[in-house]
Amino acid sequence: MSGQNPVFIPGPTNIPDRLRHAMNVQTLDHRAPDFVDVFAPVLEDLKKVFKTETGKPIIFPASGTGGWESAITNTLSPGDKVLVARFGMFSHRWIDMCQRHGLDVEVIECEWGTGAPADRYGEALAADTDHTIKAVLATHNETATGVKSDIAALRAAIDAANHPAMLFVDAVSSLGSMDFRMDEWGVDICVSGSQKGFMLSTGMAIVCVSEKAVAATETAGLSRCFFDYRDMLKMNATGGFPYTPPLNLIMGLRESLDMIFEEGLENIFARHHRLAEGVRKAVEAWGMSLCAKTPDLFSDSVSAIVVPEGFNSTALTDHAYDTYGMSFGVGLGEVAGKVFRIGHLGSLTDAMVLSGLATIEMAMKDLNYPITLGSGVAAAQEYYRTTAAAARAQAA
Ligand SMILES: *Cc1c(COP(=O)(O)O)cnc(C)c1O
């Protein structure tokens, strides 16, 4: 593998040099005031990324999966009912975790390539007249299929059913890359991680919890200790941590937040949209299609591309890696072998995306895909070329 090539897996993402330097720190005493001076503002500034005034950001030394586990174990009891849609590998894995924790999981089965169906959630909630459903779970951006779901519509469906269930959202591959609004969408727990939109190494689950979710910790019967929100919030209140914090990652997060605010969240979303559009132009030029069924579902952080009948997408990503030293995302679960994924989130420019498109094009040509060499690159170039000036003016 070439250390110079960007990665096009949808996380972990490319780490800007500025963040690699920021994470390279000598040991610091986490009980000393210096740590408090760094950590307390980090938690405060995270609220801007979640778009919350009242939510409380929490960091665990973990990956996103730990964030999922913290959400359910802090708020629910064995046998509690949760409502969740399955439409890809990540929504599937959260469901599996709920089942392994002994929750009563009502699954809304959806075709992979579709999104969280607000109407079907609404019907299930309306039918639940004695309010046995304690939490509604949804994956904002299904990384396996490149599908973005409408969380505002889901909130509206919960409200229309007049249902008191909490709303938990997996935003691991969308937070900091695509618009997310914790307060406006009435999200009770948002789960994210350090290695995608935050452009850092893997190692932190970054979650945000509402007052309602915090209140639920008092009665939740599932076991937790390491992930207990109560211990964490108690220590965080004075800038501390209940155990040894991942110092290098927190220093990295300080710098990441600075980078995010310098560029501006809305500019970051616009950049991701534009980069994604270029990829979509290339896919169209190849005569191929996305796994995501309709344009409203297209993710701006990852594209899952369906390979033609008779081709194996895993052979393609293997070939791109072996021959050109570049990583692309494989198909997972139901779409294994059928799609390959281009991750286009985090620290990325037009030129970087073009290198990925050019490389996967070569790999496809090598394996006799029915594409014209250069066609996807040219389509993306044309799009980037003709939108660059306007994008720069918009961001200024
Ligand atoms: C990456 C990801 C996760 C978490 O994965 P970890 O490997 O535990 O960090 C969860 N959900 C989605 C949608 C993801 O993209």
Side-chain angles (χ1 to χ4, degrees):
M1 185 180 84
S2 161
Q4 292 297 313
N5 285 339
V7 292
F8 290 95
I9 49 174
T13 63
N14 301 294
I15 306 175
D17 285 346
R18 196 171 148 187
L19 297 188
R20 288 172 57 190
H21 292 308
M23 287 189 280
N24 184 0
V25 290
Q26 180 53 279
T27 300
L28 189 95
D29 173 8
H30 61 282
R31 310 259 178 235
D34 321 43
F35 177 71
V36 176
D37 292 346
V38 173
F39 187 50
V42 162
L43 291 178
E44 196 54 36
D45 284 347
L46 273 174
K47 291 183 186 173
K48 295 178 203 155
V49 180
F50 286 103
K51 294 194 177 172
T52 184
E53 303 270 336
T54 53
K56 291 210 182 333
I58 290 178
I59 290 167
F60 290 110
S63 73
T65 304
W68 281 343
E69 186 149 296
S70 80
I72 58 181
T73 58
N74 275 281
T75 56
L76 300 168
S77 300
D80 273 357
K81 191 162 179 178
V82 297
L83 178 66
V84 49
R86 170 161 37 214
F87 46 86
M89 198 60 187
F90 291 89
S91 40
H92 167 73
R93 281 171 49 196
W94 207 6
I95 289 167
D96 174 58
M97 179 186 277
C98 289
Q99 289 167 336
R100 290 207 239 168
H101 275 288
L103 296 172
D104 174 8
V105 188
E106 182 173 340
V107 179
I108 303 172
E109 296 289 355
C110 307
E111 191 186 349
W112 288 34
T114 63
D119 52 343
R120 290 172 67 194
Y121 274 94
E123 282 160 26
L125 291 166
D128 180 42
T129 47
D130 48 358
H131 296 165
T132 55
I133 295 170
K134 298 297 174 213
V136 170
L137 278 54
T139 302
H140 182 210
N141 190 67
E142 176 47 82
T143 318
T145 56
V147 164
K148 163 190 72 177
S149 286
D150 187 345
I151 304 300
L154 181 51
R155 174 79 262 165
I158 299 169
D159 292 347
N162 229 324
H163 202 289
M166 293 177 284
L167 173 59
F168 300 165
V169 178
D170 171 350
V172 180
S173 62
S174 53
L175 192 76
S177 303
M178 289 154 58
D179 198 12
F180 184 86
R181 307 178 184 191
M182 172 118 180
D183 285 0
E184 193 182 314
W185 298 344
V187 175
D188 291 295
I189 301 182
C190 175
V191 176
S192 190
S194 51
Q195 79 274 25
K196 299 193 184 174
F198 288 106
M199 308 168 283
L200 296 166
S201 308
T202 313
M204 288 190 295
I206 301 173
V207 303
C208 194
V209 298
S210 73
E211 286 165 346
K212 187 168 160 183
V214 173
T217 62
E218 296 305 328
T219 51
L222 280 175
S223 304
R224 73 278 188 191
C225 173
F226 183 80
F227 285 129
D228 202 314
Y229 290 164
R230 292 168 302 182
D231 297 337
M232 190 55 90
L233 290 172
K234 192 167 150 226
M235 294 302 291
N236 286 177
T238 52
F241 215 81
Y243 33 80
T244 315
L247 182 72
N248 59 329
L249 285 164
I250 290 170
M251 299 309 260
L253 183 54
R254 169 68 276 156
E255 196 72 17
S256 166
L257 288 164
D258 289 346
M259 284 182 72
I260 287 170
F261 300 145
E262 280 164 26
E263 185 175 359
L265 263 184
E266 306 307 315
N267 290 337
I268 292 173
F269 302 152
R271 173 168 56 82
H272 279 78
H273 180 70
R274 198 169 149 276
L275 292 173
E277 279 290 304
V279 171
R280 294 190 279 259
K281 301 280 181 210
V283 173
E284 202 186 315
W286 292 330
M288 291 161 76
S289 57
L290 295 176
C291 179
K293 301 281 175 204
T294 50
D296 57 307
L297 299 171
F298 292 172
S299 164
D300 284 340
S301 60
V302 53
S303 295
I305 299 148
V306 182
V307 299
E309 202 72 43
F311 289 86
N312 180 342
S313 62
T314 309
L316 176 65
T317 49
D318 283 349
H319 179 74
Y321 187 84
D322 294 340
T323 309
Y324 302 110
M326 197 175 269
S327 288
F328 295 86
V330 296
L332 299 171
E334 251 182 46
V335 291
K338 296 180 183 149
V339 309
F340 71 92
R341 295 173 300 152
I342 299 181
H344 34 79
L345 74 163
S347 176
L348 224 51
T349 61
D350 297 359
M352 288 162 85
V353 172
L354 288 171
S355 74
L357 295 173
T359 303
I360 200 73
E361 246 180 24
M362 289 194 287
M364 287 196 283
K365 194 73 196 168
D366 293 346
L367 299 180
N368 300 315
Y369 277 57
I371 59 146
T372 304
L373 196 66
S375 61
V377 172
Q381 281 174 318
E382 189 60 19
Y383 176 75
Y384 291 147
R385 191 180 71 74
T386 53
T387 56
R392 198 170 310 118
Q394 185 74 37

